[in-house]
Amino acid sequence: MIAKHLHTLELPKILDRLAGYCAFSASAALARALEPATQPAEVERRLAETAEARDALGKNDQLTIGGARDVRDAVRLAARGGVLEPQTFLEIRDTLLSGRNIQRALSRFGAIYPQLTTITNAIEPSGALVAEINRCIDDSGEVRDTASPELAAIRREVRVVHDRLLAKLQRMVSDASNAPYLQEALITQRGGRYVIPVKADFKGRIPGVVHDQSASGMTLFIEPLATLELNNEWRELQLAEEREVRRILAALSGWVGAEAESIIRTVEAIARFDLALAKAKYAEATRSVKPQIDKETRGRGEASSSGSRVAIVQARHPLLNPETVTPIDVILPDNVRVLVITGPNTGGKTVALKTIGLLALMAQCGLHIPCERARLPVFEAVYADIGDEQSIEQSLSTFSAHLTNLRTFLERVNERTLVLLDELGAGTDPAEGAALARAILEYLLQTGAICVVATHYPELKAWASLTPGAANANVAFDYETLRPLYKLSIGLPGRSNAFAIAQRLGVPDEIVSTARRYLDANVARAEDMLAEIARLQQQAERALEAARKSQREAEANAERIRARLNAIEDERKALIEQAREEALRETEQLRAEVRRLRNRIVAAGGSLDEVKRIEQDVEKLVEAAAAHKPKPAPREPQPKRAIQAGDAVRVKSLGAIAEVNAVDGEEADVQIGRARMRVKLNDLERVSPGALARRSQAEVRDEVVSIPRVPPPPLELDLRGLTTEEGVARVRDYLDRAARAGLPFVRLIHGKGTGALRRAIRDAIKADPAVQSFETGLEGEGDDGVTVVKLKAM
């Protein structure tokens, strides 16, 4: 790939936009340095990587690289013997921890995300280095007292001497005998030494060393001789502290330098992972799809076994406003390798050329492309001669500049090349320009390259109509409003519409009529025929779109009617069932009354024959009520169409009603209550949409339950300062949310203290069904003050 042609097609602008979705500088640099791959296997790998990242972000939109930074320059400095600053060590630590968290997050999904897992497997967390950085440096970037015994001892002495020095100075400024000589009763610093403000008139009254004076000269800042030794001792200890801190940072820098290669590999792996996430975010923002890659290799003129090699449906140029850009379809008929686009100026020919080339380059960079669906080959090279190449400095006319550009790549063209030419042969005598353009196209056709050319030459229209392997295309033009429609239609040549545009722009009719007379009669008839064909084609397209719209509306109305009929049938059954239950309740009351009468008659010594007859009548009523169940009304048969997202279905093997989330090949992702699962399409049958609402709560409880989609909680829960009861309650709720969100592990920060909170929390963890195992935090991760909990896959 030649950089000039990539710039012509504006690929660097796309990569700049991609870099805007990256989280740190290392991945942004990778994005801007992306180059189109030229091997089908590598292109497929890149596209699969983007698809996996889109799926992972769809399931967990909080997936990020955390606090990673590009620390490679600092690490290389340490490898050369340089000493790093404390804040730099914190950035290195955070980067290594981010790498470890990414690796843990994807460790359970190796089979689902093989490309992403391959990236994260290259991460080397360097746990011992992380622990050493945490031991030596606190979160504010200060070297800890515990970094070395020597530093701890020095700092203790510094504090003792400092306190003695301040106490002695405080006694001096508080002494009533010194009060007349002091400008103020305060202690301050000059040049790193403690001094007191003495009035200039009394400088000899308090012996000492003058370090500074006020702007007015009325105040002298004096270090009293009585504190001179303490000040010296304090300063010497400060210097000793600085030397020890420097020694500790040098030793830590040496450790970083020893692991420089490992850290750099980790940063680069994190950058690759972040780039995959950026490609996924960009694809979502541009409503892009993964293109199908044509891997077939065949000779010139050989037919494809799977249809057109280049097929892009509803393609949108990614740099144009998605709300206003008109999508185009580019479907090259099989065996066609040269496409000649004609039509009026400003009709969209150049945009069509750039869209085809740019989408091909994006796909080979591993980016999903903005269209409804696409099939593309992998090009070894993409050459573009688009725009005005005129150069005054190089004494080149437009025609010469175009030919100079063509000469740089014509000899390199082969069957794995895409060539895009705008206004081929323009800028010179029309007859000679057309002849030269035709010769170039015949040469490109012989090479087997795929070539798309925009032109106004009628000779090239005729050539494309009569030459095997070539085809015409036109940019649509509304002949009623005389405005371009920016749509590409393959099969017919276009017209320049010069006369119609001239009339619309107000050129006098007399001039336009005269111009028409000068036009060759055969050419004029051909142009009129093309105009009529184009007009009829537009009418047919509008009629077809109206028919499709009517069909969609009819299907929607039919679906609404079916749903209403089913709802009416459900209401009918409910009313009948209610009446039956009411009848059963009344007959039960009648039974009770008969039993009371029987008991009264027996108590009175009367005959039971009449009571038996009444009981028999009651039993007949009960049997009639029980037998009178509503018969199901015949259901409207469901239309025979493919199952799609949003359909209500019955899972045959489970007998459960579900809703389809997505269809992927021969499988579907369905939602059964709170459970989500993948099912073969042949195990599903469509049901009415009302069936989902009719499922009772009991049915939902009997179904297999999976994890509901909930926003994921943070990976850490800080419990320090809580009572054991509060801590256990917080942990149970947090583990439940974490398990339902699908987190692989979490960290519980309970602190060390007396250990009561830790024991209570771990007892609760043992009994939690969502927990697979737990362990004490690693050194540098919190030790006994942290419990890392691994959750079961739900």
Side-chain angles (χ1 to χ4, degrees), residues 36 108 125 150 159 297 456 465 710 716:
R108 300 168 53 216
E150 294 81 3
R159 286 190 290 271
T297 55
H456 286 286
S465 300
V710 297
E716 291 183 349

Side-chain angles (χ1 to χ4, degrees), residues 635-714:
R635 294 278 181 171
E636 183 74 17
Q638 296 294 323
K640 299 293 184 180
R641 66 168 174 82
I643 291 173
Q644 59 189 24
D647 284 348
V649 296
R650 186 174 72 86
V651 183
K652 301 175 187 176
S653 57
L654 301 178
I657 302 299
E659 182 177 3
V660 177
N661 291 326
V663 177
D664 183 10
E666 298 299 321
E667 293 185 338
D669 183 306
V670 301
Q671 193 85 22
I672 307 176
R674 293 184 300 165
R676 185 170 180 173
M677 60 191 298
R678 292 183 72 84
V679 184
K680 296 288 186 182
L681 286 177
N682 56 17
D683 192 26
L684 302 176
E685 63 178 4
R686 291 180 65 248
V687 298
S688 67
L692 282 174
R694 295 195 298 272
R695 291 187 306 174
S696 67
Q697 291 298 321
E699 288 174 324
V700 173
R701 285 195 300 271
D702 290 341
E703 293 171 354
V704 178
V705 177
S706 181
I707 302 173
R709 293 174 63 90
V710 297

Side-chain angles (χ1 to χ4, degrees), residues 569-774:
E569 171 60 15
D570 292 338
E571 292 172 5
R572 183 185 72 85
K573 288 173 62 178
L575 289 173
I576 294 175
E577 181 64 20
Q578 182 181 354
R580 187 177 71 84
E581 291 176 356
E582 181 65 26
L584 289 175
R585 281 196 298 273
E586 291 178 356
T587 53
E588 185 58 35
Q589 293 173 359
L590 186 57
R591 275 179 175 172
E593 184 63 27
V594 169
R595 284 195 294 272
R596 285 195 295 274
L597 289 173
R598 179 189 181 96
N599 292 337
R600 290 174 62 186
I601 292 173
V602 169
S607 172
L608 297 177
D609 293 340
E610 184 63 21
V611 175
K612 288 181 179 180
R613 186 184 64 78
I614 293 173
E615 285 179 338
Q616 291 172 355
D617 291 342
V618 170
E619 290 302 323
K620 290 178 181 178
L621 289 172
V622 172
E623 291 174 2
H628 190 68
K629 292 183 179 180
K631 297 179 181 180
R635 294 278 181 171
E636 183 74 17
Q638 296 294 323
K640 299 293 184 180
R641 66 168 174 82
I643 291 173
Q644 59 189 24
D647 284 348
V649 296
R650 186 174 72 86
V651 183
K652 301 175 187 176
S653 57
L654 301 178
I657 302 299
E659 182 177 3
V660 177
N661 291 326
V663 177
D664 183 10
E666 298 299 321
E667 293 185 338
D669 183 306
V670 301
Q671 193 85 22
I672 307 176
R674 293 184 300 165
R676 185 170 180 173
M677 60 191 298
R678 292 183 72 84
V679 184
K680 296 288 186 182
L681 286 177
N682 56 17
D683 192 26
L684 302 176
E685 63 178 4
R686 291 180 65 248
V687 298
S688 67
L692 282 174
R694 295 195 298 272
R695 291 187 306 174
S696 67
Q697 291 298 321
E699 288 174 324
V700 173
R701 285 195 300 271
D702 290 341
E703 293 171 354
V704 178
V705 177
S706 181
I707 302 173
R709 293 174 63 90
V710 297
L715 286 173
E716 291 183 349
L717 177 63
D718 193 342
L719 302 162
R720 289 174 292 187
L722 301 181
T723 65
T724 55
E725 292 79 10
E726 293 171 341
V728 168
R730 289 278 300 278
V731 166
R732 287 173 176 163
D733 176 68
Y734 174 73
L735 291 180
D736 176 64
R737 291 188 292 118
R740 288 189 289 120
L743 296 182
F745 71 93
V746 294
R747 296 174 70 246
L748 305 179
I749 305 173
H750 41 65
K752 298 178 182 178
T754 63
L757 180 60
R758 178 180 68 248
R759 289 192 294 274
I761 287 173
R762 291 185 176 178
D763 288 340
I765 291 172
K766 292 176 184 176
D768 197 308
V771 174
Q772 178 178 335
S773 64
F774 64 89

Side-chain angles (χ1 to χ4, degrees), residues 219-275:
T219 304
L220 301 178
F221 295 94
I222 294 176
E223 178 184 355
L225 290 178
T227 62
L228 190 61
E229 289 300 323
L230 282 176
N231 244 330
N232 288 341
E233 186 179 356
W234 177 60
R235 184 58 185 155
E236 288 170 1
L237 288 172
Q238 282 182 311
L239 294 174
E241 178 187 1
E242 290 175 5
R243 286 193 297 271
E244 181 61 16
V245 167
R246 190 71 176 174
R247 187 194 66 78
I248 292 169
L249 294 179
L252 203 53
S253 298
W255 194 333
V256 169
E259 297 196 22
E261 293 184 3
S262 170
I263 297 171
I264 289 172
R265 285 194 295 270
T266 293
V267 172
E268 290 172 350
I270 294 173
R272 288 176 55 202
F273 180 76
D274 186 47
L275 177 59

Side-chain angles (χ1 to χ4, degrees), residues 771-788:
V771 174
Q772 178 178 335
S773 64
F774 64 89
E775 61 187 19
T776 300
L778 299 174
E779 184 178 359
E781 194 178 31
D783 301 328
D784 289 337
V786 171
T787 298
V788 179

